[in-house]
Structure formats: C-alpha cells, structure tokens
Amino acid sequence: MPSYTAPTKDLQFVLHDVLKVTESKTPGYDELEPDFTAAILDEAGKLTSEVLAPLNAVGDKEGCRLENGVVYTPKGFKEAFEKVKEGGWPGLDMPEQYGGQNMPYVIGTAVGEMFSAANQAFTMYQGLTHGAASAILAHGTDAQKDTYLPKMVSCEWTGTMNLTEPHCGTDLGLMRTKAVPQDDGSYKISGQKIFISSGEHDMADNIIHLVLAKIEGGPEGIKGVSLFIVPKFMVKEDGSLGERNGVSVGSIEEKMGIHGNSTCVMNYDGATGYLLGTEHKGMRAMFTMMNEARVGVGMQGLAQAEVAYQNAVIYANDRLQGRAVTGAVAPEKAADPLIVHPDIRRSLMDQKSFVEAARAFILWGATMIDAAHRADDKDADGLVSLLTPVIKGFLTDQGYDMTVKAQQVYGGHGYIEEWGMSQFTRDARIAQIYEGANGVQALDLVGRKLAQDGGKHVMAFFDLVKGFIKDNAGQDAEFDAAFLDPLKAASKDLQSAGMYFMQNGMKNPNNALAGSNDFMHMFGHVCLGLMWAKMGLAAKEALKTGSGDATFYETKLATGRYYMARQLPATALHLTRIQSGADTVMALEAANF
Amino acid sequence: MPSYTAPTKDLQFVLHDVLKVTESKTPGYDELEPDFTAAILDEAGKLTSEVLAPLNAVGDKEGCRLENGVVYTPKGFKEAFEKVKEGGWPGLDMPEQYGGQNMPYVIGTAVGEMFSAANQAFTMYQGLTHGAASAILAHGTDAQKDTYLPKMVSCEWTGTMNLTEPHCGTDLGLMRTKAVPQDDGSYKISGQKIFISSGEHDMADNIIHLVLAKIEGGPEGIKGVSLFIVPKFMVKEDGSLGERNGVSVGSIEEKMGIHGNSTCVMNYDGATGYLLGTEHKGMRAMFTMMNEARVGVGMQGLAQAEVAYQNAVIYANDRLQGRAVTGAVAPEKAADPLIVHPDIRRSLMDQKSFVEAARAFILWGATMIDAAHRADDKDADGLVSLLTPVIKGFLTDQGYDMTVKAQQVYGGHGYIEEWGMSQFTRDARIAQIYEGANGVQALDLVGRKLAQDGGKHVMAFFDLVKGFIKDNAGQDAEFDAAFLDPLKAASKDLQSAGMYFMQNGMKNPNNALAGSNDFMHMFGHVCLGLMWAKMGLAAKEALKTGSGDATFYETKLATGRYYMARQLPATALHLTRIQSGADTVMALEAANF
C-alpha cells in the first residue's frame, strides 16, 4: 500500500525562503513566523499521513453505498472526519466570528495540499463545504451567515455546489431547474442536478446545498440564473433541525476514481430554497465558490502528483532490476535498484521538478488571494484572476501526466490495483474535468482574462518577470545561463503568442481559440520557470549564508536546472502550434471527422 | 454505451493507395486485390462491431472470476469466441499446413486492429495464442508442431507466455523458476509466474503455456534461461487429452483495466514441460513471440485511440453546449454542438491525425515483416527490427494520450463508467507497460537497435526519407511547404539527435540513455510525418485521376496538414532535451529524490 509523507520542509522553504511571508504587508502575515507555521504543518502532516492516507485505498475499494435514500461512506471515513473536525482544520482560514481560526488562505492552502494528497475523495467533503461557506460569507445576509456559517465552518454541516444538469454543464444558460417564489420570501426549487460531489452522505447532521436555478419569469439564458441555499433538513429559528426538505439523492455515480466521495444525482421536488445574493445574479455568487474551487482543484493536480512521486521514488530505490550502464552500483546485490537507470531518473526528475514548482506557484497564488481579500489589493486580485485558469488547467493536466509517469515506474505492478498507483491516476483524472473542464479554463484565459482591464494584468505579469530577471542578472554567470536565460526565452515565447492573438484574433477569433490550450500550457511553464528561478535564487542565498541544510538547497538548484533545461523549452513548441493558426484546426466539415 | 465502426475504407486506402500492396514482390501479395481485401475487412468489421464491441463493457464490468481453480470469463465471451473460431480468424495468417489461411501478416494486422479496437481484453486470448503458436512454428520440432499447432491455429487450444516472476520482469536473468531434466527427455518445471494474460479460463479445451525457466546446473543469469512448452492437460500420443499437468492458477489480479482478460498468477509444481528450441537459448525463442507481441501491442495503442476517437466525434456532434465564437452554427437549436469549438476540434484533430498515420505506420511495418518472412528480405528485417520499439513505445504512449483526450471531450460524462470512455483509457494504459515497459523500448532502440549492423538500418531509414522527399519535391509548392519541408526539418532533428548520441554517448553512455525516451518519441513523429507525406501524395494522385471519393481525399490532405503543422514540430523540443545531456538527469544522489 502506498504511503504519504507531508512535504513540510519544502512548504516551509516556499513560505519563508521564497515567498518570505512575514515580510509581507498583508494583514495577518506578520504572525506567520517559521516556528508557528512549522507547528501547524507538522500537526497537519501527522493527521494526513497517519489518519487520512491509510483510508485512501479503503475509500477506493469500498466506495459509497446508497441504501434506501441513505449514502454510507467507506469504513473509517466517519471517524476520521470527527478527528478532522476536532482539530479545527475545516475552519483554519475562516473568520473567528463563525468559529474559524482566521489564518491566511496561504496556510489553508499549504495544509490543503496535504489533505488532498493523503486522500482526495475524503477531503472533498470538507473542500466543498469550504467553498459553499465562502459563498455564503461573501453573498449571504447576516441572518444567513449566522444560521449556516458556524455549523459549516466546523463541518458539523457540510456543503455542496449544484450546477450541472444532465443536458448542460459548461453552458449553464440551458439550465432547467426552476425556482418558484413563495409568499414568505422563500422559493420552491424543482429539477435534477448531476455530478454533485458529497451530495449525500452519513458524516454530517445536515447538508447545505447551494443550487443554481431559474426564477420563473426571469430573463432567458445565463442572465436568469439565481443561487439558492437549500438545506437537507430545514433549520428552525433556534438553530435546531426541523423536517426533511424536498431534496433527495437519486443515485450515486460509478466513476473512474474518487470512489470515496459520493457523487450524486440530486432531485429537487419543490424543495424550499432561500435566495443567496441577488436575483438573477447567481453566476456571480457561484463564481465566488468556483474561483476558490479552481485553485483548490489545481492543488489536487499537484497533490496527486506529489504522493504518486513519493511512492515512485520508494519503489525505484527498492526494486532491483538490471545494472547501471556505467558499472554496478550495488555489486553485492543481484541487481541495481531501478533508480540507477537514466530513463527512470528522467521520469522522476520530471515529477520532482513539477511538484516543487507547482507548490510554489499555488502558494504564490494564495498570497495574492490573501492580499486581495485582506488588503484589498486590486493588482493582486487582477493577477490571480488571470492566473486562476492556469493554476487549474495546467497543474491538473501536468499533475495527471505525472501520476501516469509515477505509475509507469512500477512496471506491471503499476497496473495492479493492490499497489495503489492506479488509484492516483484515476483520482487525478477528475481534476482535469470538474470545476470547468480544462478546455474551458483555456477559453477563460484567452477569451476573457487576457484582455481583462485592457490587458493590464498580463502586462503586469510580463513586467514582473522582466523585473525579476533584471534585478538578478549579471551576478552569477552560471545562474544566469541555467535559470535566467531560459526564463527570458520562455517569457518571450509567451509574449509572442499574446502578440499573435492580438494581431490575428481580431480578424478571426478562432486564431486565438485554436491556440488556447497551448497558451495555457506555455503560460504554466513560464510560471513554473519563474518559480524555479525564485527558488534557485533563494537556495543560492541560503547556501551563501551557510545556514540550514546545504544538501537540501543544492538539490533544489539541481532540480531547478533540470526543469529549465528539459521542461521549460516546451514553450517554443506551444508557440509554433499557436502561430500555425486556426486554418488546419478548423479545416474539416463536422461530417468529415 | 460506446459503439465501434471498423475503419474499412481507411484500411483500404492505406493498403492500396499508399502501400500499393499488389505491386509488391512479396509472395502472396499479388492476391491482395482491393475487392479481395475489402471482402475480408467487411466481414471482420461486421464481427467486431456487432459481436465483440458490445461485449467490451460487459467484460469490463464483470471481469473474470476464479472459483475452485476454474476461471470463468465474462458472460458472452465463450459464445463470441466460438464465432471467432468458426470464422477461422485466429488462423488468418497461419500456414495452411496447420489449418491456417496463409494470408500475409499485413492482412492479419489490418484485421487485428479491428479486433483490438472492438474488445482488447477479449482479443488477447487469441493474440497470445497466435504469439505462442508463432514461437512453436519457428523453434519447435516437427512433432511439436504437429501436436500443438493445428489446435492452436484454430484456437481450440489457447496459448500463453510466462516470463515475469514476482521479483523480476525486465531483468529476466534473476529468474528463479527451475527446470529439472527427466529421463524421458522432458523436464519438471517449478516456480511462480505472475501477470500471465489468459493464464487460465473456460474458453478452450487446453492451454499451452510457454514458460521460461532455468535448467538446473546451467549458466548463471540470462544465459541460462530456456523455454518450455507446458500444457495444462497432457496430450496423449493420439492427440487426445490426458491428465491434468502440475500447473494451476494461484489468483487473478485486480487490474486498472482489461478486466475481461484473466491475468493470472500461475504456479508450476513439478509440471511436465518440453524444451522448445535449444537449451539455454530460451530468450531467443521467446523473442519470436516478443517481437510479434510488441507490434501487436503498438497496434493496441492505435486501436484504443481509434475507438475512443470515434465516440468522441459522435459526442461532439450530439452534445449541445455554447455557441461558435464566429456565430451560431445551429441557431434553430438551444446551443451549437461541441464540435464548433476550436479547442474541441484541436483535440479531435490531434486524435484523427494520430490514428490515421499510426495505422499506415503499423501496416507499413507489417509489409516489412512479410518481406522478411516470405521473401527473406534482410533489409526489411533490419528496418522493422529498428522500428519495432518505436511502434510499441511511441504508438502506445500516444495512443494512451489520445484516449485521454477523447475522454476529455465528454466532460463530466467521461469520468462516469456508464459512458465507457474511462474504459478506453484504463484498457489503453496497459499497452505502455506490458511486453517491455516503454522505457525498455526506448533503451532497446537507443542502446541496441541504433548501432545494430553498424548503424546500417537507421542510415537506411534516413536514406528512405531523403529519397522520398527528393523524388517528390518541386512539383507542387503548397505540398512541399505543407508536407515535405516539415518532414525534412523533423528528419534533420532526428539525425542531429543521433549525431549527439554518437558524439557524447561514447564518453558517457548516460548521455544517450537520458535521451532515449525523447529519441523514441521523435523517431515516432518522423515516422508518422513520413506516413502523412505518403498519404498526402496518394490523396493528391487520387484527386488528380478524379476517381473515388474526393471528400475522403481532401479530408486526408487536410488532416495531414494538421499533423505537419501541429504535431511534427515536437521533434525540435525532443532534440533540445536530448542535447541538454545527462548532467541534469543524473545530478541527484538517490537519497535526495
């Protein structure tokens, strides 16, 4: 069975050596001293590796069971969920007013990586709750907040988000679920929602569904969509639970992975719902959840890659097979361990250089979200909004590929469920699909985010990269050649792609959209390249001061050199594809595929 | 549930317009008139789409069941296997002497694609039998051939190959299974083998296991490995079945996919075995099976990509979601079909341009195998031997990626098992692993095949590409720019990579091996680029003569242009990686991963 060790040291490196969080002006960051964050991360590391990780395979094998309208989660999930609640983990970055600990989002994100890596299906129960609570926090009335948030922040009650219907996912304007206004100000919600993660289960006293529906007589299409709070059990004035609401689970889906999470068909039969936010502005309210969820899903891509990588390393060191081509490394044994072979190393380095940079990327994004929320930093808000589809799309595409590479290290054993590597790929696969399939992320990036606020944010990104290179070049020729020059070249490729879109997308928008997936990927590579340059610099500085673990910092530099030499040059290929335009992409009649 | 339609028209195009099989001097090819091959392909198409494809999901869901030493295949498999046998399909390209139809291997390959696409797990029962029969044909005594081949060619008896043991797969020198010589010339075989596809099942009267084992007292390591025939039931002098041999199934593995095939742990407890071929030369005999199996596995990569692509196209045309950015295509409907969106087309074109070129590549490879076997053509033998790891490694890596892309077109439904797209990816995944994991293919290519016969075969490949370009350039500027120039550039990249290996692999072989995976992939791209140039030329010629389906040929040219513009340029990235050498790959101590 696979194991999981929380990457506490690396998280600390990113928080303190790279992002230097305590030097930030964002309110609350001054408290994030290394000892303090280490204590939190250690505690989370223990819980995730000792309690959640061992349940990962159990959840996969057993799955969820629907019997007479009740969904039973896998054996051990309920007890583990109690431990998570006792530790106060679900409310880590939630307001104290509602029982949370008011920590910055960046800490929630660091801890969140561990939770997702240890057990993605399990962690989704609290993840969805967090998202739903955030939406209520942002758009709810005081009464709604007082009614739902204390229970949701503690995960006594869990939450869901209900968007998809059988005939529509991305295109929510086609939605059929109806909301009929009642005299008391509530609504009766009727319709069917599918793919509802954590839709029904046995781990919470109540489930608060956030449901998109159309108020009868409202505007057509997406402009007539509103968001509603629909509790599973009605909540009485005194906060106690009343009768069952008209919402029930129709079935649970049989999926490729994340078996431990109950993915439900939910039926709303005149269920009582309460408007959350403004009438017909449901998409705006839902996007509060969606943006948070998208960063969270990007993190799942990283998290599955991390745990799969850890196990691939263990196997590559254990399994004896063949001899190093340059001479036996373990002559006393019948064969050398797999890790001596260059192609195994190539695979492991791909994985290692991805997860470490992805971790820095996500945490950097989280600091911008904190700056936006806690310090009303509009620039940070704009930049992270630009980068959100990259975080979601690129990290989950790459994260999935990395789990496949980790599985491949196991040879035949990778295909056998008992070894657990298959689960990582099957679980990671969903992250490319939900919260907006990655094609939609690419569309969001190229079709909307690039031009947002007159292209201000993408210009800011380029300035940031340029400024970083300028500030740090010319001091160390090896570092310039290994890190800064490749970053400069990749960033130039990305700019050229943006230029191509501007020059050719006007006359034919397909010229931009046909390159959207490539653009998202090249943007991701430039971001990870920037992270490696920053991490390389931090490692160099640490080595200069002579404090800390020199091997750790040397390894960091070596891993960075690998990424810059072997992965970052992918931007050139993406640029070539983009510059080939839409003609070959759009050439065929639909009937001729 | 997914459907499958055999790509008969495209197979005919490759056989006749591109490969022009009837013009070949290979014995038996003169009979392959278009009407004749069409009749075979139509018949196979009917069987595979109507009988085998509907059982694909059944096999996945039900899997195989072991009860009291008996393995039960999924419902319907047995009846379908009878139909396959009745049609004489297993012996299509086997000698008439043993009940086969003596067709060229290229026809077996064309039909084989259909079988694998329709139902990979099912087709493996006959595929392994074919491989085992080929090994007996090549290395058996006349008595062995007479005893086993007639029954195996008809699939009355099936076959297996037993290589892997719990502690060794690739490194078979570590093998522990023992063979003890008996007075009557037979051997007693003892040991455990794992991952034995079709190891035990209920669809055949007897199972002929080909088992690698070490004869006691023989040389150490791989040089002491011999191959044995171990029948499940002893075969009497008169050909009737005798008592049960000392071989039994220990368990069946729970796998990520190909659930319909029984992957068994096989226990040999003093089982009676008969030497096949020469003592201690077992690997040579086994490679007869392995090489055939590797081409067959490459075909599985193509086949799963094909069936997944077909279903992605259907879904993309059916599913209404969003509007074309250039204006509604189906204004009368609530939304446009998915296929209007450039990023969906990008994905479908990736798939289409891969499968069609992969098909041509495999069939071209098959004609070389025929030339080698039927006309003793040493050059063809050398070239196909060089290309075998590319066929296996590149086509299964790419094939897998394509099934993932096809699944992605389905959005959330792609993750739900009911829709069947998950099965294509789960089934396709094994092809990257078995018959030598793809890292081993890359090692075989770079570490062995490149230098084989003094590098003669890779030089022949480059000459072939160069000759093709020279013969066809300068007649049509558009064709040159769209097809020949990119092919030239890609081929140059491949040559540069080979040059890098020569110049840097001598002083440090890791410089070659660290680039082996990239080399295999760039070689694959050049092969598919060559195929597209050949197909483009054939399509142009057909359009010039004005015969046949002009839309088909126009589509072929458009698809080729896509591949040349968007996929073939990947060679430059692979070259960059290769030229970065082994230093960054090998930099870390094993303990620092």
Side-chain angles (χ1 to χ4, degrees):
Chain A
M1 210 171 66
S3 63
Y4 174 65
T5 307
T8 311
K9 189 169 188 170
D10 204 47
L11 284 161
Q12 286 281 88
F13 168 73
V14 174
L15 289 174
H16 301 292
D17 292 40
V18 183
L19 298 174
K20 301 187 197 315
V21 286
T22 55
E23 294 173 22
S24 161
K25 293 200 184 85
T26 302
Y29 271 46
D30 53 343
E31 292 170 20
L32 301 180
E33 291 294 339
D35 286 354
F36 178 67
T37 58
I40 297 170
L41 296 178
D42 282 342
E43 205 56 44
K46 228 187 295 177
L47 177 74
T48 50
S49 61
E50 292 171 12
V51 179
L52 304 194
L55 289 174
N56 197 41
V58 177
D60 185 56
K61 212 177 156 71
E62 219 177 282
C64 295
R65 203 173 82 247
L66 172 63
E67 267 175 33
N68 303 320
V70 180
V71 172
Y72 298 91
T73 51
K75 195 157 180 267
F77 269 41
K78 214 168 167 173
E79 294 73 15
F81 203 57
E82 287 307 315
K83 280 190 190 156
V84 169
K85 287 194 250 181
E86 277 164 26
W89 296 106
L92 196 65
D93 56 4
M94 281 290 179
E96 278 179 315
Q97 184 183 358
Y98 302 111
Q101 299 187 50
N102 203 32
M103 301 253 187
Y105 181 66
V106 72
I107 297 301
T109 304
V111 167
E113 185 201 315
M114 297 183 190
F115 273 73
S116 278
N119 198 325
Q120 180 173 326
F122 176 89
T123 299
M124 288 170 66
Y125 292 98
Q126 76 199 70
L128 270 302
T129 308
H130 194 284
S134 295
I136 294 174
L137 194 61
H139 302 282
T141 63
D142 286 344
Q144 286 173 335
K145 291 182 200 176
D146 290 341
T147 302
Y148 300 106
L149 289 183
K151 301 283 193 182
M152 292 176 79
V153 164
S154 66
C155 268
E156 221 168 315
W157 300 351
T158 61
T160 70
M161 49 198 291
N162 289 240
L163 291 81
T164 308
E165 301 184 5
H167 63 290
C168 73
T170 301
D171 190 354
L172 290 168
L174 304 176
M175 182 175 297
R176 292 180 191 147
T177 298
K178 286 264 167 277
V180 182
Q182 305 296 303
D183 292 343
D184 65 354
S186 72
Y187 293 78
K188 290 285 177 207
I189 313 287
S190 299
Q192 188 178 63
K193 296 287 184 179
I194 63 170
F195 304 157
I196 308 309
S197 300
S198 319
E200 176 61 54
H201 60 85
D202 58 354
M203 303 202 296
D205 297 335
N206 202 2
I207 300 177
I208 310 305
H209 303 287
L210 297 198
V211 184
L212 285 180
K214 284 184 173 172
I215 298 172
E216 275 199 331
E220 285 290 302
I222 198 72
K223 289 176 183 162
V225 168
S226 306
L227 185 59
F228 298 90
I229 299 175
V230 183
K232 173 179 166 183
F233 288 103
M234 302 304 292
V235 183
K236 294 190 203 159
E237 286 280 324
D238 66 354
S240 67
L241 297 185
E243 60 190 12
R244 185 77 190 248
N245 199 356
V247 47
S248 60
V249 52
S251 61
I252 45 181
E253 303 280 9
E254 211 174 295
K255 309 182 298 292
M256 185 177 180
I258 53 165
H259 296 158
N261 194 274
S262 56
T263 306
C264 299
V265 173
M266 299 303 296
N267 294 319
Y268 293 86
D269 301 307
T272 297
Y274 307 99
L275 187 69
L276 177 59
T278 314
E279 254 188 3
H280 312 317
K281 303 284 183 202
M283 288 309 291
R284 203 166 59 187
M286 192 50 110
F287 262 97
T288 304
M289 288 178 75
M290 290 280 279
N291 275 330
E292 181 185 304
R294 284 174 177 183
V295 173
V297 171
M299 194 176 59
Q300 290 175 348
L302 149 66
Q304 291 307 300
E306 163 71 25
V307 66
Y309 164 70
Q310 286 186 12
N311 286 281
V313 169
I314 294 169
Y315 190 81
N317 274 303
D318 277 359
R319 177 84 170 174
L320 304 178
Q321 210 81 180
R323 287 288 181 199
V325 66
T326 48
V329 166
E332 75 286 4
K333 292 181 179 160
D336 287 339
L338 276 183
I339 202 163
V340 305
H341 301 298
D343 190 58
I344 294 287
R345 279 181 175 254
R346 189 257 324 153
S347 168
L348 293 176
M349 289 301 290
D350 279 349
Q351 298 167 52
K352 182 176 173 64
S353 66
F354 167 74
V355 292
E356 294 181 9
R359 175 173 297 130
F361 184 29
I362 286 262
L363 292 177
W364 177 45
T367 62
M368 288 189 269
I369 292 174
D370 277 328
H373 290 175
R374 291 176 168 242
D376 204 24
D377 182 336
K378 297 273 181 250
D379 291 338
D381 194 40
L383 186 52
V384 77
S385 160
L386 170 72
L387 295 179
T388 294
V390 181
I391 292 174
K392 197 284 183 180
F394 178 70
L395 295 191
T396 61
D397 276 355
Q398 290 271 313
Y400 178 72
D401 286 350
M402 297 303 158
T403 61
V404 171
K405 287 182 188 193
Q407 183 188 21
Q408 188 74 13
V409 170
Y410 278 65
H413 295 99
Y415 202 65
I416 308 298
E417 291 295 353
E418 186 191 348
W419 289 77
M421 299 306 286
S422 160
Q423 186 188 352
F424 296 137
T425 73
R426 290 185 291 97
D427 285 1
R429 185 70 184 87
I430 189 59
Q432 299 173 282
I433 298 173
Y434 62 16
E435 307 308 339
N438 285 355
V440 176
Q441 304 299 326
L443 181 65
D444 179 44
L445 175 65
V446 170
R448 188 159 45 170
K449 297 292 175 64
L450 267 191
Q452 210 164 43
D453 299 325
K456 182 179 153 190
H457 308 299
V458 72
M459 292 316 298
F461 177 81
F462 285 127
D463 286 347
L464 191 153
V465 176
K466 225 177 287 175
F468 175 83
I469 294 172
K470 201 172 149 227
D471 290 349
N472 296 291
Q475 293 157 40
D476 175 346
E478 193 276 336
F479 185 77
D480 289 1
F483 288 84
L484 299 183
D485 295 348
L487 176 60
K488 200 174 185 173
S491 174
K492 216 180 124 214
D493 285 343
L494 187 65
Q495 277 181 283
S496 302
M499 196 67 77
Y500 176 86
F501 289 161
M502 286 214 288
Q503 288 167 347
N504 299 278
M506 291 295 197
K507 57 179 182 210
N508 180 2
N510 286 340
N511 277 325
L513 299 186
S516 58
N517 177 68
D518 283 292
F519 190 79
M520 180 174 78
H521 278 259
M522 79 193 295
F523 209 148
H525 276 298
V526 173
C527 289
L528 296 203
L530 176 64
M531 293 302 110
W532 270 121
K534 288 191 174 210
M535 290 194 287
L537 198 69
K540 253 171 38 110
E541 279 166 12
L543 283 168
K544 218 182 291 169
T545 67
S547 68
D549 179 352
T551 303
F552 177 86
Y553 296 118
E554 294 286 7
T555 302
K556 195 57 84 176
L557 279 160
T559 309
R561 283 185 205 106
Y562 180 90
Y563 191 87
M564 298 319 238
R566 292 239 170 192
Q567 296 288 55
L568 194 55
T571 55
L573 172 59
H574 291 302
L575 179 60
T576 301
R577 287 182 183 151
I578 287 169
Q579 290 177 335
S580 76
D583 289 353
T584 62
V585 178
M586 306 303 288
L588 300 194
E589 294 293 323
N592 296 333
F593 274 87
Chain B
M1 208 172 65
S3 63
Y4 174 65
T5 308
T8 311
K9 189 169 187 172
D10 204 46
L11 284 161
Q12 286 281 88
F13 169 72
V14 175
L15 289 174
H16 301 291
D17 292 41
V18 183
L19 298 174
K20 302 189 197 310
V21 286
T22 55
E23 295 174 22
S24 159
K25 292 200 186 84
T26 301
Y29 271 46
D30 53 343
E31 292 170 19
L32 300 180
E33 292 294 336
D35 286 353
F36 178 67
T37 58
I40 296 170
L41 296 177
D42 282 342
E43 204 57 41
K46 226 189 292 179
L47 178 74
T48 51
S49 61
E50 291 172 12
V51 179
L52 303 193
L55 287 175
N56 196 41
V58 176
D60 185 56
K61 212 177 157 73
E62 218 178 284
C64 295
R65 203 173 81 247
L66 172 63
E67 266 177 33
N68 303 320
V70 181
V71 171
Y72 298 92
T73 51
K75 195 159 180 264
F77 269 42
K78 214 168 166 173
E79 294 74 15
F81 204 56
E82 288 307 314
K83 281 191 191 155
V84 169
K85 287 193 251 181
E86 278 164 26
W89 296 106
L92 196 65
D93 57 3
M94 282 290 179
E96 278 179 315
Q97 184 183 358
Y98 302 111
Q101 300 186 50
N102 204 31
M103 302 251 188
Y105 181 66
V106 72
I107 297 301
T109 304
V111 167
E113 184 203 315
M114 298 183 190
F115 272 74
S116 278
N119 198 325
Q120 180 173 327
F122 175 90
T123 299
M124 287 169 67
Y125 292 98
Q126 78 198 70
L128 269 301
T129 308
H130 193 284
S134 295
I136 294 174
L137 194 59
H139 302 282
T141 62
D142 286 344
Q144 286 174 335
K145 291 183 199 175
D146 290 342
T147 302
Y148 300 107
L149 288 183
K151 300 284 191 181
M152 293 177 78
V153 164
S154 67
C155 266
E156 219 170 315
W157 300 352
T158 62
T160 71
M161 48 199 293
N162 290 240
L163 291 80
T164 308
E165 300 184 5
H167 64 290
C168 73
T170 300
D171 190 353
L172 290 168
L174 304 176
M175 183 175 297
R176 292 182 192 143
T177 298
K178 286 265 167 278
V180 181
Q182 305 297 302
D183 292 341
D184 65 354
S186 72
Y187 293 78
K188 290 283 178 206
I189 313 286
S190 299
Q192 189 178 62
K193 296 287 182 177
I194 64 171
F195 304 158
I196 308 309
S197 300
S198 321
E200 177 60 54
H201 60 85
D202 58 354
M203 303 201 296
D205 297 335
N206 201 5
I207 300 177
I208 309 306
H209 303 287
L210 296 198
V211 185
L212 285 180
K214 284 183 175 174
I215 298 172
E216 274 199 332
E220 285 289 301
I222 198 72
K223 288 175 183 164
V225 169
S226 306
L227 185 59
F228 298 90
I229 299 174
V230 183
K232 173 179 168 185
F233 288 102
M234 302 304 292
V235 183
K236 294 190 205 159
E237 287 280 325
D238 64 356
S240 67
L241 297 184
E243 60 190 11
R244 185 76 189 247
N245 200 355
V247 46
S248 60
V249 53
S251 60
I252 45 181
E253 304 280 9
E254 212 174 295
K255 310 182 298 290
M256 183 178 181
I258 50 165
H259 296 157
N261 194 271
S262 58
T263 306
C264 299
V265 173
M266 298 303 297
N267 295 320
Y268 293 85
D269 302 307
T272 297
Y274 307 99
L275 187 68
L276 178 59
T278 314
E279 253 188 3
H280 313 317
K281 302 286 184 200
M283 289 308 291
R284 203 167 58 188
M286 192 50 111
F287 262 98
T288 304
M289 288 179 74
M290 290 281 278
N291 276 330
E292 180 186 304
R294 285 174 176 182
V295 173
V297 171
M299 193 175 59
Q300 290 175 349
L302 149 67
Q304 291 306 301
E306 163 72 26
V307 65
Y309 164 71
Q310 286 186 11
N311 286 280
V313 170
I314 294 169
Y315 190 81
N317 275 304
D318 277 0
R319 177 83 170 174
L320 304 179
Q321 210 80 182
R323 286 289 181 198
V325 66
T326 47
V329 166
E332 74 287 2
K333 292 182 179 161
D336 287 338
L338 276 182
I339 202 163
V340 305
H341 301 299
D343 190 58
I344 295 287
R345 278 182 176 254
R346 190 257 325 152
S347 168
L348 293 176
M349 290 301 290
D350 280 349
Q351 297 167 53
K352 182 176 173 64
S353 66
F354 166 73
V355 292
E356 293 180 8
R359 175 173 298 132
F361 184 29
I362 287 262
L363 292 178
W364 177 46
T367 62
M368 288 189 271
I369 292 175
D370 277 327
H373 289 175
R374 293 176 168 242
D376 204 25
D377 182 336
K378 298 274 181 247
D379 292 337
D381 194 40
L383 186 51
V384 76
S385 161
L386 169 73
L387 295 179
T388 294
V390 181
I391 291 174
K392 198 281 184 182
F394 178 70
L395 295 190
T396 61
D397 276 355
Q398 290 271 313
Y400 179 72
D401 287 351
M402 296 304 157
T403 61
V404 172
K405 287 182 188 193
Q407 183 188 20
Q408 188 74 13
V409 170
Y410 278 66
H413 296 99
Y415 202 64
I416 308 298
E417 291 294 353
E418 186 192 348
W419 288 76
M421 299 305 285
S422 160
Q423 185 188 353
F424 296 137
T425 74
R426 290 186 290 96
D427 285 1
R429 183 72 183 89
I430 188 59
Q432 298 173 282
I433 298 172
Y434 60 17
E435 305 310 338
N438 285 355
V440 175
Q441 303 301 326
L443 181 64
D444 178 43
L445 176 65
V446 170
R448 188 159 43 171
K449 298 291 176 66
L450 268 191
Q452 212 164 43
D453 299 324
K456 182 179 153 190
H457 308 299
V458 72
M459 292 316 298
F461 177 81
F462 286 126
D463 285 346
L464 191 153
V465 175
K466 224 176 290 176
F468 175 83
I469 294 172
K470 200 172 151 229
D471 289 350
N472 295 291
Q475 294 157 38
D476 174 347
E478 193 276 335
F479 186 77
D480 288 2
F483 287 84
L484 298 183
D485 294 349
L487 176 60
K488 200 173 186 175
S491 175
K492 216 180 126 217
D493 286 342
L494 187 65
Q495 277 181 284
S496 301
M499 197 65 78
Y500 176 85
F501 290 160
M502 287 212 290
Q503 288 167 348
N504 299 278
M506 291 295 198
K507 57 180 182 210
N508 181 3
N510 285 339
N511 278 325
L513 299 186
S516 58
N517 178 67
D518 282 291
F519 190 79
M520 180 175 77
H521 278 258
M522 79 193 295
F523 210 147
H525 277 298
V526 173
C527 289
L528 296 203
L530 176 64
M531 292 303 109
W532 270 121
K534 287 190 175 212
M535 290 193 287
L537 199 68
K540 254 171 36 109
E541 278 167 12
L543 283 168
K544 219 184 290 171
T545 65
S547 67
D549 180 351
T551 303
F552 177 86
Y553 295 118
E554 293 286 8
T555 302
K556 195 56 84 174
L557 278 161
T559 308
R561 282 185 205 107
Y562 179 91
Y563 191 88
M564 298 319 236
R566 292 240 169 191
Q567 297 288 54
L568 194 55
T571 55
L573 172 59
H574 291 302
L575 178 62
T576 301
R577 288 182 182 151
I578 287 168
Q579 289 177 335
S580 76
D583 288 353
T584 63
V585 177
M586 305 303 289
L588 300 194
E589 294 293 322
N592 296 333
F593 275 87

